[in-house]
Amino acid sequence: MSDLTTTPRLVEAGTSNTSYIGKPTSRVEGPAKVTGTAKYSAEFNVPGLLYGYVVTSPITKGRITKINSAPVLALEGVVQIFSHENVPSLAWFDRNYKDDVAPGGSPFRPLHDAEIKFNMQPVALVVADSFEVARYAASVLEIEYEQEKFDTNIDLKRDEGHKPGSGKTGFMPPPPPRGNPNDALKNATHRIEGEYIHGAQHHNPMEMFATTVEYHQDGKITAYDKTQGVYNVQQYITKIFGLSKDEARVVNHYMGGGFGSGLRPQYQVFLAVLAALELKQSVRVSLTRQQMFSFGHRPHTLQYLKMGTNPDGTLAALHHHALHETSKFEEYTENVVNWSGMLYQCENVNLGYQVAELDVYTPLDMRAPGAATGSFALEVAMDEMAYAAGLDPLDFRIRNYAEQDQNMKKPFSSKKLRECYHEGAAKFGWDKRTPEPRSMREGNQLIGWGMAGGVWDASMQKAAAKAIFTADGKLEVLSAAGENGTGTYTIMTQIAAETLGLPLEAVTFKLGDTNMPEAPLQGGSWTAASVGSAVKNVCTEVGEKLLKLAQKMKGSPLKGASIDDVHFADGQIRLNTNPSEAVVIRDILPASGEEKLEVESSAMPNMIKQQPYSMHSHNAVFVEVKVDEDLGTVHVTRVVNAVAAGRILNTKTARSQVLGSVVWGISMALMEETVMDHTFGRYMNHNYAEYHVPVNADIHDIDVVFVEEEDDKVNPLGVKGIGEVGMLGVAAAITNAVYHATGKRVRELPIYMDKLL
Amino acid sequence: MIQQPTNTSGGATSLPAPPSAGSVTLTINGVQRHMQLAPWTTLLDALREYADLTGTKKGCDHGQCGSCTVLVNGKRINSCLTLAVMQEGNEITTIEGLGQPENLSPLQQAFIDHDAFQCGYCTPGQICSAQGLINEGRAHTEDEIRELMSGNICRCGAYVGILAAVKEVVDKQSSK
């Protein structure tokens, strides 16, 4: 690294040693993660820490009539029990509990009153001087309840759904019907229809929700909280507890998985802050794995599709209606059916979307919310339609390729789904498929090949970043973004290093702290676009300042050059016309006498540029399953996932995101379901032994193909986000492959063996 | 309905007192640690809450996920399923003992090279489990590694990378 400053190497522009974007750079935080030095929220062992343990309701609806606190408070080591009986008066208005992504309605207020609204509702927090005593004390806290009748079964609410309001950010009501969908269906050459169902699913990140609140001498607090948005949590707790922003700092450097579960502040942060402020002591509250099923889930959803084709195999009509659960206090919404109006060309479309209220906690965005659900139903129906029309499922999709977004009546800013189909199919060997079900086998194993695909939003939000360049040649960039495994640390380091032509080792990216410039929630696959653009902007501004200072250096070859006349590479600012005319960046501050340069900047979407376009990422998934003919067990032996998501910043971490998405799709198709016992209104399998997710032995060959896609409209970086699109179509492709293997059409997930026997 | 009925209403009877702490000496990563622990403290909580060795993770506290895997006398165990007092006299190795950021073990390096993690929370358990698997010496093929690494859940779904990382180190060790 240091030799760069003394013996400049001449490198052709564009091929410098400091061009990092698009390279498979290993995670810069890798050493911290593999050695256990990366600290998660429950791992800040501050002095004098107290431990809170949550008690949750065993009933689903009713009220608490008595809490027998005295014997528990008498136990040695127990410090306090917080419940609705002794919570101090907090913010009175509902709106103070509304976080940035709260849906419409009235948010749940922990320990607010005696009313029980859902099973496993937190009803008390027992605080003790050790985790063990808190856990024990919580297990002997006697609470009496009065029970009321409840509704937890969506099947009984089929006729009670209603169109939701527009209370939730990002929710788009389905477009009005187009064409003449009823007549077109009636006149179609071939028709299919069916109901598609999946149950509730819980995010279950490996790290359980936890908050360590450090109580400072001056009464201020630092909350180390598991969240996908430190600013969202800060505004939540400051509004509820009447704190100023200066009094409540929220930090999250590492998040042990989110998948949407940390988009909203969860109740442990409320409880930990409450206890710390009341006791004037540092407090940690960690949830148990069981309690990870007590807030937010992908909603149990029922979908109905009807489709018909014309004689030429084009879609004549498409009807897609969905109904899912929400809570009685908030109206959760997601975009389930809209995708069906834009993934394929069809003139006659009718989309409908309703929610029904149940006595459950409010559902919560979970990886590709709405699209994972909708694409499952749409893409299985497309497979059924292809079979009904006697067409190859891939050929059928290509025949119905949408050249524009018919929902919005706008062209796509870029769309390489056709390339996804072709490249994915070629890699998979789709042309060797025999179409008849049960036509491929290996001994006792029925082999099935299926495919599907999907579409996801390419979004960008406003984000800010700060950069500090110091005289030792080091660059620090800060933005309150999140790192939940997506690669934020790494890609931001790459962007910053490349923009200023610095070696990666000279750049440190810091995130997850309300003392840093604001970044949007870590969700919606928009972090790379949003924070990445802010990082690029702030580094560009640092570069401009460096250039000005460099021009003042004695004998500077850059005198008179504008920022467009130079480029930053290999630790130097070089003239474009003659790269050997350069200034070593590390020398600039020492020569100028400045100790550091500090710049803050932001980025926001260019609405004018974006407005004419529909901006989306796409994918196509090809799957091989082997189904044991006697046992009905399904193994996903081969997957090719071809993704078009704009520019890929880091092929290594992006590939991992798609690999993980495929694992999620396999999980959704074959394993995941939170099962409700409607007698009790309680999830039965609320633990990691009975809530099944894949283990290593369940995962076989997965190939990821990134289709090249240039897009100068979505954002200056040309990225579309990669965290969610890869999951789309996977569950459907598996379901379709199971049909091809067995001849059995499954329309309800997960595909357990009983559905195949 | 009464939750957790304890028959203590009215204060006539009191609840059993929590056990008191006693001296426990654990050998962790080659260092003897003297700790004051109540007998009901799990090895996992002793490491995280009393020894400030937070590299060992809690993912379920019930032996269902493998995040808390550590090595005891070279054998991999779920540290949430054993009490700290039961491990006196044993050699406990945690992720912190396998390598440090400036001095990574071959497995730790292979995990980085193959991007065998995303959020990193299950990673210490995966690596300790892989070290235990190598110590056992019975996994050689990809299928064997997949099977014998299946006690460790990775919700991010980094299994492809985990397999590649472990296989690389297993192959290197067996070629020695």
Side-chain angles (χ1 to χ4, degrees), chain B residues 86-165:
Chain B
M86 295 160 65
Q87 302 303 334
E88 281 196 301
N90 289 332
E91 292 282 343
I92 301 157
T93 308
T94 69
I95 191 71
E96 291 92 343
L98 287 181
Q100 299 74 44
E102 307 304 321
N103 176 32
L104 299 172
S105 78
L107 269 172
Q108 289 169 325
Q109 186 62 54
F111 266 63
I112 293 174
D113 294 344
H114 292 278
D115 211 31
F117 54 90
Q118 291 190 40
C119 80
Y121 197 78
C122 74
T123 312
Q126 300 277 359
I127 293 173
C128 285
S129 191
Q131 189 59 55
L133 171 139
I134 289 168
N135 296 350
E136 290 156 19
R138 58 198 176 106
H140 303 287
T141 66
E142 289 195 347
D143 278 348
E144 286 167 350
I145 294 170
R146 281 192 185 106
E147 183 67 28
L148 293 169
M149 284 299 293
S150 284
N152 293 77
I153 295 176
C154 170
R155 181 57 158 159
C156 296
Y159 297 122
V160 170
I162 293 169
L163 174 70

Side-chain angles (χ1 to χ4, degrees), chain A residues 423 641-645 648 650-652 654-656 658 704-708 722:
Chain A
E423 291 182 33
N641 196 345
V643 178
I648 301 302
N650 182 323
T651 47
K652 194 178 216 173
R655 174 176 175 266
S656 289
V658 178
V704 178
V705 178
F706 288 119
V707 171
E708 272 194 48
I722 198 76

Side-chain angles (χ1 to χ4, degrees), chain A residues 27 45 51 136 145 656 694, chain B residues 3 6 16 49-50 52 115 159:
Chain A
R27 286 174 203 265
N45 289 332
Y51 292 82
Y136 166 63
Y145 300 87
S656 289
Chain B
Q3 181 177 19
T6 53
E49 309 297 339
Y50 296 86
D52 197 26
D115 211 31
Y159 297 122

Side-chain angles (χ1 to χ4, degrees), chain A residues 138-157:
Chain A
S139 77
V140 290
L141 179 63
E142 191 179 271
I143 303 177
E144 290 180 33
Y145 300 87
E146 232 169 55
Q147 297 196 69
E148 288 171 34
K149 278 194 180 155
F150 53 82
D151 313 305
T152 54
N153 192 345
I154 187 102
D155 264 331
L156 305 177
K157 293 272 179 179

Side-chain angles (χ1 to χ4, degrees), chain A residues 228-232 462-464 479-482 516-522 531:
Chain A
Q228 289 171 246
V230 288
Y231 270 93
N232 193 23
K462 184 176 188 250
S479 177
M516 298 173 183
E518 188 162 355
L521 281 164
Q522 177 86 355
V531 183

Side-chain angles (χ1 to χ4, degrees), chain A residues 550-587:
Chain A
Q551 289 169 333
K552 291 181 191 157
M553 288 166 76
K554 210 180 278 178
S556 173
L558 306 177
K559 282 207 171 78
S562 80
I563 192 76
D564 298 327
D565 299 330
V566 299
H567 62 274
F568 293 72
D570 295 322
Q572 300 180 338
I573 309 180
R574 295 169 173 168
L575 278 180
N576 291 339
T577 48
N578 182 3
S580 62
E581 293 288 324
V583 167
V584 174
I585 294 170
R586 256 179 89 142
D587 295 345

Side-chain angles (χ1 to χ4, degrees), chain A residues 26-27 30-31 33-40 42-43 45 51 55-56 58-59 66 68 71-72 75-76 130-133 135-136 138-145 147 202-208 255-257 259 284 289-290 366 484-485 652-653 655-657 659-660 663-664 667 672 687-689 693-697 699-702, chain B residues 1-11 13-18 40-42 45-46 48-50 52-62 64-65 67 95-96 99-101 104 108-109 111-115 117-124 126-127 142-143 145-147 149-150 152-163:
Chain A
S26 289
R27 286 174 203 265
K33 283 179 175 172
V34 300
T35 56
T37 43
K39 276 204 184 298
Y40 299 80
E43 298 174 352
N45 289 332
Y51 292 82
V55 181
T56 60
I59 72 161
K66 190 179 172 192
N68 190 10
V72 178
L75 291 170
E76 195 183 332
S130 76
F131 169 71
E132 290 77 21
V133 170
R135 178 176 57 189
Y136 166 63
S139 77
V140 290
L141 179 63
E142 191 179 271
I143 303 177
E144 290 180 33
Y145 300 87
Q147 297 196 69
H202 280 79
H203 311 69
N204 272 305
M206 294 307 299
E207 180 200 17
M208 297 177 295
M255 191 195 196
F259 315 113
R284 173 177 303 150
R289 178 55 61 187
Q290 286 70 17
M366 179 163 155
N484 48 27
K652 194 178 216 173
T653 55
R655 174 176 175 266
S656 289
Q657 291 230 66
L659 290 174
V663 173
W664 269 61
S667 196
E672 267 183 70
N687 60 68
Y688 246 159
V693 297
V695 296
N696 211 318
I699 302 304
H700 300 275
D701 292 349
I702 306 174
Chain B
M1 183 202 184
I2 301 179
Q3 181 177 19
Q4 296 157 183
T6 53
N7 300 317
T8 51
S9 273
T13 51
S14 59
L15 294 163
W40 61 7
T41 309
T42 64
D45 290 326
R48 285 171 64 85
E49 309 297 339
Y50 296 86
D52 197 26
L53 290 168
T54 54
T56 307
K57 306 301 184 196
K58 185 183 280 191
C60 70
D61 222 7
H62 283 62
Q64 298 167 344
C65 76
S67 295
I95 191 71
E96 291 92 343
Q100 299 74 44
L104 299 172
Q108 289 169 325
Q109 186 62 54
F111 266 63
I112 293 174
D113 294 344
H114 292 278
D115 211 31
F117 54 90
Q118 291 190 40
C119 80
Y121 197 78
C122 74
T123 312
Q126 300 277 359
I127 293 173
E142 289 195 347
D143 278 348
I145 294 170
R146 281 192 185 106
E147 183 67 28
M149 284 299 293
S150 284
N152 293 77
I153 295 176
C154 170
R155 181 57 158 159
C156 296
Y159 297 122
V160 170
I162 293 169
L163 174 70

